[in-house]
Structures are given as structure tokens and as C-alpha cells.
């Protein structure tokens, strides 16, 4: 382990939500966690009621719930009361339109107020919310709205014209289109003006008494390893959103919380809408895209206390060589966390210098609906480890046997598939229309995540790679993360992606794609230096045989490196589903 453990001495942990991890694990029960929520009469449970309306009889009613910072820096504020009223209007509107329980409402919107009002209003009406990235083109929109049998779409006229109009004829089930910004000359026939309709609706909707296992959310996976799958989540998931927000993010009602994820990615809904609101915090939303200076300014000006972001953004900050603490007042920032991809140890160490506190990596998937493994405020961090399972979550390292069985691997450090024991409330209940695929995720009482990991003797979990990305070379199982992290320790390297290239002798050898830091130019000397560094760090069997310099790496809209695409291109194979591809530079 090249990086020393970061001990939490000196970092304030007073009032921590999880003061004693071991004790919380022993005493935890989901039924107990459920008692933190209100519920509705007759055992009903509704996410939006827990996020908004139940607060209206408390001190939170007139507190700032949501602040949206526009691209032009204009700020839009919603108290809990106002957000509750606006979302009730939307629920009322859905009922007036004849939308029934369980029917799907899609958004194709930027991170503006209508997105948040639609999300919460849809849940109140007992319909199912499914958010899409506004940047999706017509094909990804068709695939998702078609598969989800969308009944309502909330978007803008401009987005409709470019992304929906070309495929509308293939979406016969899509009955209502609501346009934020109103209906101009290019609006489709029958479209409704979102704001005008909202103004005409009642602000005091009686929330539909959804059952805990009624479908609430439809999230499509990131498409990192293939065609995105539609994961079905139910209202009961709110129990996990709420409690994991406390344990893994240390959310308190007096926190100003910024989750940088777009709701089009599950993180931006579970933690970018639901968890901060159920916990009574103030949620910050930035409508603009990543910009280092802007982000640091938001952290400072909004007095953000808890920040949840992703490794891509962290690596960008590192790449630009910014020194946040020297130029910004970040004295309010007390907890920083990261999700979506492995967080390189280098980034954790950097954050100690740059912010004076560490990033806390946590692991989960669209399928798990909420954080499953995390580094906690009160627990020492081992840089490069994703931490320990949440109270209420049982995780194991397993191996599949030839006859379809599962064997648990107890040995510390041994690599196997990461498995979870089903039973947490935000567990996905189906892959939409893919029952066989869903069934294949389970064996002998375990949910198999498709990720490879190991667990050390103290119970910390270490990510190795996605099963699809792992490289098999001369009898070694090589996780791209290990190779990439070692490469990132070289001072010139900003980002790296490792793939396996077929080799007649070794089976596969490692090839790495490297993005250099600002001011560094690729040349043969540097290539040799980086290869030498990798060989010293990893040994010749694991180190890349070859490296290629790139200006950027292909990634999904949720910021994940698409190694499968790098590989397909190297080998001249079909590129596969590219619907979630964001940035690309060959
Ligand atoms: P698809 O399933 O369509 O290929 P995806 O798996 O990237 O896409 P998500 O559900 O958004 O879609 O991502 C979950 C995956 O992201 C995890 O299975 C894991 O591979 C990776 N991941 C998330 N958080 C972490 C983390 N902290 N460390 C390492 N990997 C992570
Ligand atoms: Mg996945």
C-alpha cells in the first residue's frame, strides 16, 4: 500500500451521524431506519411526501430547500413550502391530464426548476419519474422513452425540435408534451405551456398513497459497458436515500449540500434531489457545466458544507493545477465525497493539500439505488479503498463456480466479484422488460454486481475493475484501476485508462492511454519515463507494455471512462452503443 492511511485526528467529527461504525452496524435495522420517516396513513409511503410535505408542519417549512444557480448566475430560490406547492401543482396537472398511477413521466431538461418540480410532482401523483440528460440526441431519447413507454415528456421547445420531433412518430404512447418556456411557433401540435398549466393547477394536492413497493423511479444505467439498462426503483427506496445521506454523506438539516450530478444519472436523483430534502438540508444546484473557477466560487459563495462530486471533476481540478485553499474561502466546507468511478489514491492525497481535508470515496450503482460502501467522516481513510459497507448492507467477495453456484472468498486481499445480500430498500426491482437479465444478477441469495474487488483484513473494500474491463495477462488478473492509479502518480499524468490488448503469448498485455497535465507535451522521452515509472511501481508483468497520449478520453455523460470504446477502436471492432458518450477525442 503506497499511500499512508489518513487518520481522522484533527478533523472535527462532533455531532457525526455515524459516530461509531461498528456499533451502528450491530444495532442497525431497516425497520428502525424507516421510523425516521413519516409515512402516510394505512402503511403508504411516498418519496415526495418524505422529501417535502411532511416538513411543512415543522420549522423547515420556510427554510431554503433548493437554490438553483443559472448559467447566467441568476439565482432561483425555493423554500420547502414553495417547492411543495409547485410540485403539488404539477401532480394536480398530471391528474387533470388523465395520467394514471405507474405511468411514466420523462424529463429532457437542463438543471432548472421545472426538472425538480416535475420530479417531485410526478412522485406525488403516483406516476413514475424518469429523467434524461438534456444533451441526449434523438436516438437515446427514442430508446429510453420508447422502452419506458413514456406518457408525458417535459422539455423545451428547442430541445423538442432537435431531439424529439425526429422520432416522435415512433412514440405513439407519448400523449402529452409540456414545454418549459412556453409554446412558440415551432411547438408540436397539442403541446402545453408548462408554466401556464402549472399556474392553472391547485397547490394543495392530496399525495397519492403509494405502496412502499410501487414503482417510483426509472433510471437508465450509464452505458459504460454496453447498452443502458432501465433499472426500476420503488417508493420504499426513500428509506435508503435518507439514511445513507446521513451515514455516508453526514447530512444534517443545517447543511448546505451540493451534489454536482445531473438527475439524468442516478446520483443526481438519489442525492441530487431526494436525500438532502428528506434530511431537511439546503440543496444547491448549478445549471452550468463543469468549470473549475466557477465550481470553487460556488463552494465559497454558497458556503457549501457538504460536497458530493465525481472523480472526473476532481481529476480536472488536479489537472489544472488550481490551489483552492489559497484563492477561495472554503472554511464552510466540512465533508467532501466522490462517486462513480474509482477515486485514485493520488486524488485523495491531493485533496488533503488542496482542501485541507480528504475526499471520501463511496461505491454504488444505478441498480443499488443508494450508497452501499463508503468512507465515513469518523473512519480513517485508506486512499484507494472505497471504504466499508453501510450499516444494513452485507457485502462479500465471491467466486462463481462452474455449476452456477457461488463461493464466498474469506481470504484477505483475494480478488473476486463484489456481491451484496439483497434486502436494502433501494434495491432495484427489475430491469425494465429484461426479466432474464435481472434474474442472472442473483445467485444463492446474493446480488452479483459485475464489479471485481477485494477486502483487506480490516474490512476495507478495494475496487479492482469491472468484470468486463479486467485484463488477463500471463496468469495475472490486472485491474485497470491499479495501473491507472500508478500512472497518475507520475507528475506529468493527469488521467489514464488501461485496456487489455490481445497477445499470442501472454493472452493480453496492458496498453494505457494517457492525458497529460496542462503544460506537458508528449514526446518519446516522457513516454519512456512514464513506462519506467509504471514498471518500477507495478512490476513488468502488470505495467503497460505500450502507452499512447491523448488529448482526452471517451466518457459517458456521468463522467465514466469508456474503456470498451478505447478497446473497440484499438482492435477495429464495432463501437457498440454510444448513446451515453459525452466527450470524445481520438
Ligand atoms: P452500465 O451498467 O450501463 O455499463 P455503469 O455501470 O457505468 O453503466 P452506473 O450504474 O452509473 O452505470 O455505474 C455504476 C458502476 O460505476 C459501478 O458498478 C462501478 O463499476 C462504478 N463505480 C461507481 N462508484 C465507484 C467507486 N467509488 N469506485 C469504483 N467504481 C465505482
Ligand atoms: Mg453497471
Amino acid at each position: 500500500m503506497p499511500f499512508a492511511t489518513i487518520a481522522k485526528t484533527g478533523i472535527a467529527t462532533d455531532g457525526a451521524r455515524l459516530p461509531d461504525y461498528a456499533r451502528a452496524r450491530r444495532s442497525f435495522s431497516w425497520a428502525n431506519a424507516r421510523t425516521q420517516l413519516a409515512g402516510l396513513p394505512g402503511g403508504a409511503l411516498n418519496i415526495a411526501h418524505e422529501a417535502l410535505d411532511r416538513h411543512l408542519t415543522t420549522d423547515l417549512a420556510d427554510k431554503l430547500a433548493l437554490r438553483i444557480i443559472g448559467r447566467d448566475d441568476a439565482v432561483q430560490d425555493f423554500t420547502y413550502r414553495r417547492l411543495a406547492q409547485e410540485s403539488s401543482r404539477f401532480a394536480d396537472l398530471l391528474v387533470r391530464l388523465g395520467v394514471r398511477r405507474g405511468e411514466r413521466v420523462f424529463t429532457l431538461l437542463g438543471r432548472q426548476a421545472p426538472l425538480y418540480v416535475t420530479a417531485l410532482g410526478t412522485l406525488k401523483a403516483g406516476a413514475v419519474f424518469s429523467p434524461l440528460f438534456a444533451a441526449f440526441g434523438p436516438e437515446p431519447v427514442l430508446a429510453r422513452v420508447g422502452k419506458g413507454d413514456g406518457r408525458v415528456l417535459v422539455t423545451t421547445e428547442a430541445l423538442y425540435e432537435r431531439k424529439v420531433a425526429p422520432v416522435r412518430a415512433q412514440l405513439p404512447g407519448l400523449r402529452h408534451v409540456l414545454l418549459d418556456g412556453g409554446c412558440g411557433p415551432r411547438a408540436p401540435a397539442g403541446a402545453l405551456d408548462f408554466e401556464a398549466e402549472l399556474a392553472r393547477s391547485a397547490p394543495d394536492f392530496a399525495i397519492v398513497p403509494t405502496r412502499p413497493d410501487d414503482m417510483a423511479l426509472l433510471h437508465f444505467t450509464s452505458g459504460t459497458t454496453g447498452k443502458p439498462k432501465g433499472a426500476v426503483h420503488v417508493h420504499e427506496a426513500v428509506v435508503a436515500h435518507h439514511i445513507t445521506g446521513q451515514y455516508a454523506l453526514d447530512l444534517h438539516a443545517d447543511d448546505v449540500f451540493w451534489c454536482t450530478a445531473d438527475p439524468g444519472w442516478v446520483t443526481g436523483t438519489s442525492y441530487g434531489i431526494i436525500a438532502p430534502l428528506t434530511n431537511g438540508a439546503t440543496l444547491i444546484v448549478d445549471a452550468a457545466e463543469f468549470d473549475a473557477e466557477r465550481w470553487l466560487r460556488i463552494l465559497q459563495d454558497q458556503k457549501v458544507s457538504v460536497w458530493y462530486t465525481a472523480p472526473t471533476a476532481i481529476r480536472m481540478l488536479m489537472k489544472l493545477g488550481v490551489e483552492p485553499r489559497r484563492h477561495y474561502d472554503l472554511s464552510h466546507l466540512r465533508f467532501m465525497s466522490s462517486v462513480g468511478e474509482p477515486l485514485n489514491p493520488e486524488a485523495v492525497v491531493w485533496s488533503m493539500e488542496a482542501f485541507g481535508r480528504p475526499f471520501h470515496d463511496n461505491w454504488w450503482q444505478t441498480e443499488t439505488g443508494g450508497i452501499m460502501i463508503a468512507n465515513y467522516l469518523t473512519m480513517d481513510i485508506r486512499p484507494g479503498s472505497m471504504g466499508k459497507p453501510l450499516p444494513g448492507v452485507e457485502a462479500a467477495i465471491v467466486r462463481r463456480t462452474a455449476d452456477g453456484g457461488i463461493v464466498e472468498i474469506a481470504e484477505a486481499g483475494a480478488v473476486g466479484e463484489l456481491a451484496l445480500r439483497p434486502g436494502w430498500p433501494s434495491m432495484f426491482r427489475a430491469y425494465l422488460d429484461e426479466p432474464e437479465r435481472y434474474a442472472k444478477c442473483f445467485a444463492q441469495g446474493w446480488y452479483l454486481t459485475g464489479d471485481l474487488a477485494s477486502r483487506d483484513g480490516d474490512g476495507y473494500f478495494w475496487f479492482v475493475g469491472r468484470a468486463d474491463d479486467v485484463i488477463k495477462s500471463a496468469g495475472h488478473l490486472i485491474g485497470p484501476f491499479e495501473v491507472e492509479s500508478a500512472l497518475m502518480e507520475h507528475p506529468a499524468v493527469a488521467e489514464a485508462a488501461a485496456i487489455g490488448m490481445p497477445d499470442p503469448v501472454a493472452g493480453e498485455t496492458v496498453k494505457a492511454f494517457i492525458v497529460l497535465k496542462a503544460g506537458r507535451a508528449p514526446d518519446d522521452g516522457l513516454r519512456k519515463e512514464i513506462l519506467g515509472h509504471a514498471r518500477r511501481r507495478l512490476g513488468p508483468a502488470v505495467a503497460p507494455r505500450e502507452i499512447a497520449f491523448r488529448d482526452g478520453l471517451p466518457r459517458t455523460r456521468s463522467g465514466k471512462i469508456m474503456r470498451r470504446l478505447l478497446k473497440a477502436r484499438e482492435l477495429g471492432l464495432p463501437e457498440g452503443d454510444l448513446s451515453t458518450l459525452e466527450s470524445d477525442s481520438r
Side-chain angles (χ1 to χ4, degrees):
M1 213 189 312
F3 291 93
T5 297
I6 296 174
K8 288 300 182 53
T9 42
I11 291 176
T13 54
D14 302 346
R17 288 290 202 180
L18 193 64
D20 183 339
Y21 171 78
R23 219 170 102 198
R25 266 194 84 77
R26 278 197 304 274
S27 60
F28 183 88
S29 80
W30 286 108
N32 232 340
R34 165 75 176 73
T35 62
Q36 284 199 22
L37 300 175
L40 288 164
L45 183 66
N46 185 286
I47 296 176
H49 179 249
E50 303 304 330
L52 295 174
D53 291 39
R54 78 176 163 115
H55 299 317
L56 299 185
T57 52
T58 74
D59 292 350
L60 292 173
D62 294 307
K63 187 193 156 176
L64 184 59
L66 169 66
R67 166 165 290 176
I68 301 175
I69 305 165
R71 288 170 185 277
D72 56 358
D73 286 348
V75 163
Q76 212 181 352
D77 281 347
F78 290 84
T79 60
Y80 275 91
R81 192 188 308 281
R82 181 168 167 220
L83 196 52
Q85 287 173 343
E86 294 296 305
S87 55
S88 283
R89 287 181 193 275
F90 187 77
D92 182 52
L93 169 60
L94 289 184
V95 171
R96 280 199 289 119
L97 292 176
V99 175
R100 291 196 303 265
R101 271 171 86 151
E103 289 191 326
R104 262 75 84 173
V105 176
F106 280 78
T107 49
L108 183 69
L109 288 169
R111 290 181 294 281
Q112 306 285 2
L115 171 51
Y116 297 85
V117 168
T118 300
L120 293 155
T122 298
L123 295 168
K124 283 185 175 182
V128 175
F129 175 60
S130 189
L132 303 179
F133 285 103
F136 275 160
E139 283 307 316
V141 169
L142 172 64
R144 288 161 181 76
V145 179
K147 188 166 191 174
D149 188 24
R151 201 64 75 239
V152 179
L153 174 69
V154 185
T155 185
T156 65
E157 188 177 84
L159 288 172
Y160 183 91
E161 191 182 21
R162 280 186 289 136
K163 287 125 184 270
V164 189
V167 295
R168 178 71 189 268
Q170 295 167 70
L171 294 169
L174 181 59
R175 268 197 230 120
H176 308 283
V177 173
L178 294 159
L179 298 179
D180 172 33
C183 305
R186 290 163 294 128
L192 300 168
D193 177 335
F194 180 86
E195 244 167 85
E197 291 300 323
L198 226 55
R200 211 172 292 148
S201 307
D204 52 356
F205 184 80
I207 293 179
V208 169
T210 40
R211 309 306 310 164
D213 58 357
D214 278 351
M215 183 172 171
L217 302 162
L218 173 62
H219 282 299
F220 290 88
T221 59
S222 291
T224 314
T225 53
K227 202 170 157 58
K229 299 150 281 208
V232 170
H233 288 284
V234 299
H235 279 273
E236 192 187 13
V238 68
V239 181
H241 299 146
H242 181 74
I243 212 78
T244 57
Q246 294 186 359
Y247 287 167
L249 305 175
D250 198 53
L251 278 178
H252 289 70
D254 57 2
D255 275 313
V256 176
F257 174 66
W258 184 21
C259 169
T260 59
D262 187 280
W265 176 34
V266 67
T267 306
T269 298
S270 295
Y271 300 97
I273 305 179
I274 300 166
L277 298 179
T278 63
N279 280 293
T282 293
L283 170 64
I284 302 291
V285 168
D286 180 24
E289 299 312 316
F290 175 83
D291 174 285
E293 299 290 320
R294 179 184 176 90
W295 277 31
L296 293 169
R297 192 157 42 76
I298 289 175
L299 289 172
Q300 168 185 272
D301 294 353
Q302 301 303 329
K303 301 185 165 56
V304 171
S305 58
V306 179
W307 186 30
Y308 196 19
T309 189
T312 317
I314 298 167
R315 289 193 295 259
M316 294 279 263
L317 289 170
M318 291 171 72
K319 180 176 167 182
L320 296 171
V322 288
E323 292 182 65
R325 273 212 291 181
R326 279 194 45 199
H327 304 290
Y328 298 86
D329 172 9
L330 302 175
S331 52
H332 290 87
L333 191 58
R334 63 175 191 84
F335 190 78
M336 313 196 298
S337 52
S338 162
V339 70
E341 283 196 297
L343 184 63
N344 313 85
E346 193 66 24
V348 181
V349 171
W350 171 82
S351 66
M352 288 298 289
E353 279 169 37
F355 291 93
R357 50 189 72 253
F359 270 108
H360 296 76
D361 185 21
N362 57 57
W363 177 97
W364 58 292
Q365 309 178 303
T366 308
E367 290 85 344
T368 70
I371 302 170
M372 295 284 111
I373 297 179
N375 286 283
Y376 309 95
L377 174 64
T378 47
M379 201 171 80
D380 292 349
I381 293 180
R382 298 189 176 170
S385 161
M386 48 200 191
K388 297 187 184 183
L390 270 281
V393 172
E394 188 190 344
I397 304 296
V398 306
R399 187 164 46 83
R400 303 192 196 217
T401 57
D403 60 358
I406 293 291
V407 184
E408 260 190 77
I409 309 177
E411 187 196 336
V415 174
E417 188 165 355
L418 176 62
L420 303 167
R421 185 77 76 189
W424 70 94
S426 63
M427 139 103 176
F428 73 135
R429 304 305 160 96
Y431 279 134
L432 197 65
D433 296 339
E434 295 184 277
E436 279 170 24
R437 180 171 217 161
Y438 184 73
K440 273 202 192 133
C441 297
F442 300 89
Q444 284 177 234
W446 289 101
Y447 163 62
L448 299 157
T449 66
D451 284 348
L452 299 185
S454 68
R455 177 175 44 196
D456 68 22
D458 298 315
Y460 282 81
F461 281 74
W462 299 76
F463 182 79
V464 171
R466 295 159 181 276
D468 290 12
D469 288 340
V470 163
I471 303 157
K472 294 178 196 81
S473 184
H476 293 270
L477 201 64
I478 304 173
F481 176 46
E482 181 187 9
V483 177
E484 292 158 9
S485 291
L487 289 166
M488 279 191 62
E489 287 168 26
H490 188 282
V493 176
E495 279 197 288
I499 62 165
M501 295 290 287
D503 181 272
V505 181
E508 282 186 305
T509 58
V510 180
K511 174 164 185 172
F513 298 83
I514 283 177
V515 180
L516 293 173
K517 284 198 180 137
R520 299 300 302 251
D523 61 41
D524 241 27
L526 186 57
R527 179 195 313 276
K528 288 205 186 92
E529 199 185 303
I530 295 173
L531 281 171
H533 160 84
R535 226 168 279 138
R536 275 191 305 281
R537 273 286 285 107
L538 298 163
V542 176
R545 194 69 62 84
E546 226 187 311
I547 59 176
F549 294 108
R550 291 283 192 274
D551 295 333
L553 299 171
R555 44 179 95 258
T556 66
R557 299 211 167 277
S558 44
K560 295 160 192 271
I561 298 170
M562 290 169 101
R563 293 177 191 80
R564 69 167 161 101
L565 186 54
L566 287 168
K567 188 160 179 171
R569 285 175 179 168
E570 279 301 299
L571 303 181
L573 298 171
E575 296 193 338
D577 186 287
L578 297 185
S579 63
T580 61
L581 179 65
E582 180 183 41
S583 56
D584 199 9
S585 40
R586 287 174 191 237

